Amino acid sequence: MSRKVITLCYRKIIDATNTSTWDKFVHEDSFAEFKMQAQYYNQEQQYTTFAEMALNVPEAEKLHFLVSAAITGYLRQLNGIIPDVLDNLGRRFLTFENFKFELINSDINSLEKHKVAINFFSKPLVWHDTIGNLLLVSQFKESNEDEVFTNLFQIQPFVSIHAIKNID
């Protein structure tokens, strides 16, 4: 019997409106790193926003990667668990190994205009069934065991199926 193995992506957007302590630290530290790294791509101080730098200095696209260094310690604090996504029992259950940091917008003169996204990519999951508006999934394992522990959850905003593969 064929199984569907999926990878989910959760896009966590962080800006000045976020209220959790973790989000605030990520916001503030990524802003400080952006200001520092942006100096290299804006040596004549012509631009104040990331959008202006990206438009006028092609190498400024490297800022996504360079600024991500400021948040890797915070990602380690998550212990491989994707934040904010809960199963129907209210538990965080999605694990991740990979992420992609993205500057959405920023202005070197304003912390309030700084906005970033962290795209978390789940470890592979077996998609067993869809029950109403809920997905029944389990952690993917190479072996076919008789009993599999599952999670039932509703796909929420900013969560999508990133990849799908049929396994025989």
Side-chain angles (χ1 to χ4, degrees):
M1 181 170 108
S2 179
R3 298 183 296 170
K4 290 188 186 312
V5 176
I6 59 174
T7 302
L8 299 176
C9 176
Y10 169 53
R11 180 176 171 87
K12 181 173 181 63
I13 296 180
I14 300 173
D15 61 18
T17 64
N18 291 68
T19 58
S20 85
T21 303
W22 189 89
D23 292 356
K24 286 180 180 183
F25 283 141
V26 168
H27 184 247
E28 291 167 5
D29 286 0
S30 63
F31 178 68
E33 188 70 18
F34 168 74
K35 283 178 55 172
M36 186 177 72
Q37 295 291 344
Q39 294 175 35
Y40 178 77
Y41 301 100
N42 191 25
Q43 292 179 8
E44 295 175 13
Q45 298 180 353
Q46 291 179 285
Y47 316 112
T48 61
T49 69
F50 170 67
E52 291 171 329
M53 287 179 224
L55 185 63
N56 295 293
V57 184
E59 298 84 30
E61 283 296 320
K62 294 177 185 173
L63 285 167
H64 297 289
F65 171 74
L66 294 170
V67 174
S68 72
I71 65 151
T72 55
Y74 298 114
L75 293 174
R76 278 194 286 279
Q77 290 176 1
L78 298 174
N79 294 319
I81 305 291
I82 295 176
D84 307 330
V85 179
L86 306 175
D87 67 10
N88 68 323
L89 298 175
R91 299 178 301 194
R92 294 185 311 143
F93 71 101
L94 275 179
T95 56
F96 77 97
E97 288 178 336
N98 299 316
F99 73 94
K100 182 179 178 189
F101 178 83
E102 178 184 347
L103 288 162
I104 296 174
N105 200 10
S106 195
D107 185 317
I108 59 174
N109 298 317
S110 175
L111 175 63
E112 286 72 34
K113 293 181 182 175
H114 184 68
K115 189 174 193 174
V116 300
I118 305 171
N119 298 292
F120 294 93
F121 300 96
S122 74
K123 290 183 181 178
L125 300 164
V126 176
W127 180 2
H128 295 282
D129 203 354
T130 302
I131 304 168
N133 61 352
L134 303 170
L135 297 183
L136 182 64
V137 298
S138 64
Q139 297 296 319
F140 174 72
K141 296 179 182 158
E142 291 293 334
S143 64
N144 284 330
E145 299 173 11
D146 289 337
E147 184 177 43
V148 178
F149 295 100
T150 61
N151 294 92
L152 190 62
F153 79 104
Q154 181 175 357
I155 291 198
Q156 63 190 48
F158 301 103
V159 175
S160 68
I161 296 175
H162 175 71
I164 189 167
K165 178 169 54 171
N166 287 320
I167 304 287
D168 294 323

